[in-house]
Amino acid sequence: MFGEISERQATDTAPGILTIDLGALVANYRALQQRAAPARVAGVVKADAYGLGALRVAPALYAAGCRDFFVVQLSEALALKPALGADARLYVLSGLQPGAERTCAEAGVVPVLNSLDQIDDWSRLARARGAELPALLQFDTGMSRFGLSPEEAEALAADPARLAGVRVLYLMSHLACADEPDNAQNADQLAAMQRVAAAFPGVALSFANSGGIFLGNDYHGALARPGIALYGGAPTGGTANPMTPVVRLDVRVIQTRTVPAGARVGYGATHVTAGETRLATIAAGYADGLPRSLSDRGSAYLGDVRLPIAGRVSMDSLTLDVTALPPGTLRGGSLVELIGPHQTLEALAADAGTISYEILTGLGTRYHRVYR
């Protein structure tokens, strides 16, 4: 029978170390709460808390005073609920698949109802149980993704009996361009949300995401829903990131070598050395959340020294040009920084031609995780 491995064994045998600073996470939550006040701030912990571990992240937020948590799937809520206090409230952003209503109600989970069909099904269950069931109503204010259309919102407002048995906690919508403060769609969506609020007077709003918290009080509503900002990602583009970094990623060197001028490196031989070059192959690739698009573009760091990626990123490894380091600096088992004080999450994402969300959620399970 296999026993559990020790912390030392886990650290020594993993391809890298993913450090998750729960203190920084809590600091970000408190900073967002201060900015959004008097609105409350929820924790968006969908996709396993953006890949960082919902069963560790959500309890840390709960201990800091957070009581509202958003996931996307009912299965996520059911898995997370036992890890939180009885006064925590879990919301399912995508609503419910037909037939899941009873399971949701029995678990005390709150659905975000995105269609008239979902509203009808939730109301039917409430009436059958003879008790009100809480829900959020989502409205499409310009993103064309989830929520009631303007025409459906108007029909619902004109037929309030359709909500029989449903206790509407918040009217909700999602900002499409909140990370671009000057984008005119923000104001368009705010105006649309204000029209929804007028049609359902007296019901609180949940509107702001991470970027929305920084657009001003008009966007906050009563319950803000930050995601990426909690995890240290920049809530808006073009300005200094006000959030505290939460994640650090260091990856181990597998092998080093010196090759002559003209050596071909990696799949497809896309990189050819111009002169004698020292290379280090490290133990992470696109299966570990380092996108193939980093090929010949991205880098790692050792201290202040940038170590460019040479050639294509493979599934389980990539190769660095380490010629800038003194010979013998790196050897098998050495660690190089992929995300940290010398290379931010946003910088790595930019080199990959993607966004910080995709990097975080793709980091995978092979790294040894250290929660601080």
Side-chain angles (χ1 to χ4, degrees), residues 200-354:
F200 297 88
V203 185
L205 304 184
S206 179
F207 193 35
N209 52 12
S210 289
I213 290 175
F214 291 81
L215 291 177
N217 293 339
D218 289 345
Y219 291 83
H220 290 166
L223 181 66
R225 309 183 313 274
I228 193 66
L230 286 173
Y231 307 109
T236 57
T239 59
N241 184 359
M243 312 315 298
T244 302
V246 171
V247 171
R248 175 170 180 140
L249 176 61
D250 298 282
V251 176
R252 292 197 183 280
V253 172
I254 302 172
Q255 187 177 23
T256 63
R257 71 183 67 230
T258 300
V259 297
R264 302 179 181 94
V265 182
Y267 282 117
T270 60
H271 185 93
V272 180
T273 57
E276 185 177 86
T277 304
R278 290 195 304 280
L279 300 173
T281 300
I282 67 172
Y286 57 75
D288 306 290
L290 303 177
R292 193 169 184 265
S293 55
L294 287 170
S295 302
D296 280 314
R297 294 177 56 185
S299 60
Y301 277 81
L302 187 71
D304 295 330
V305 180
R306 181 178 183 268
L307 308 174
I309 294 174
R312 287 182 180 168
V313 177
S314 303
M315 181 183 292
D316 311 297
S317 64
L318 59 84
T319 302
L320 303 172
D321 182 340
V322 300
T323 309
L325 296 173
T329 303
L330 295 178
R331 60 182 182 177
S334 297
L335 289 166
V336 294
E337 174 193 324
L338 271 295
I339 302 171
H342 302 94
Q343 178 159 262
T344 65
L345 175 64
E346 283 73 27
L348 181 67
D351 282 347
T354 186

Side-chain angles (χ1 to χ4, degrees), residues 96 100-106 109 111 113 117-135 161-168:
L96 300 172
E101 295 82 12
R102 189 171 300 278
T103 299
C104 183
E106 290 174 353
V109 173
L113 303 177
D117 286 343
Q118 288 183 5
I119 290 170
D120 291 343
D121 290 341
W122 196 239
S123 172
R124 187 178 303 112
L125 177 62
R127 286 181 278 113
R129 291 165 61 99
E132 282 191 325
L133 290 175
R162 200 162 186 172
L163 288 167
V166 178
R167 178 162 52 94
V168 181

Side-chain angles (χ1 to χ4, degrees), residues 116-197:
L116 293 175
D117 286 343
Q118 288 183 5
I119 290 170
D120 291 343
D121 290 341
W122 196 239
S123 172
R124 187 178 303 112
L125 177 62
R127 286 181 278 113
R129 291 165 61 99
E132 282 191 325
L133 290 175
L136 274 64
L137 301 183
Q138 180 153 212
F139 298 86
D140 177 17
T141 57
M143 197 173 180
S144 303
R145 188 179 66 166
F146 289 123
L148 303 180
S149 69
E151 295 76 19
E152 290 170 325
E154 184 177 342
L156 183 62
D159 185 14
R162 200 162 186 172
L163 288 167
V166 178
R167 178 162 52 94
V168 181
L169 304 180
Y170 298 97
L171 309 174
M172 177 182 149
S173 191
H174 194 68
L175 288 158
C177 305
D179 58 331
E180 303 171 15
D182 297 328
N183 194 305
Q185 185 165 337
N186 293 321
D188 291 344
Q189 287 195 257
L190 176 61
M193 195 68 200
Q194 290 169 337
R195 290 192 292 272
V196 168

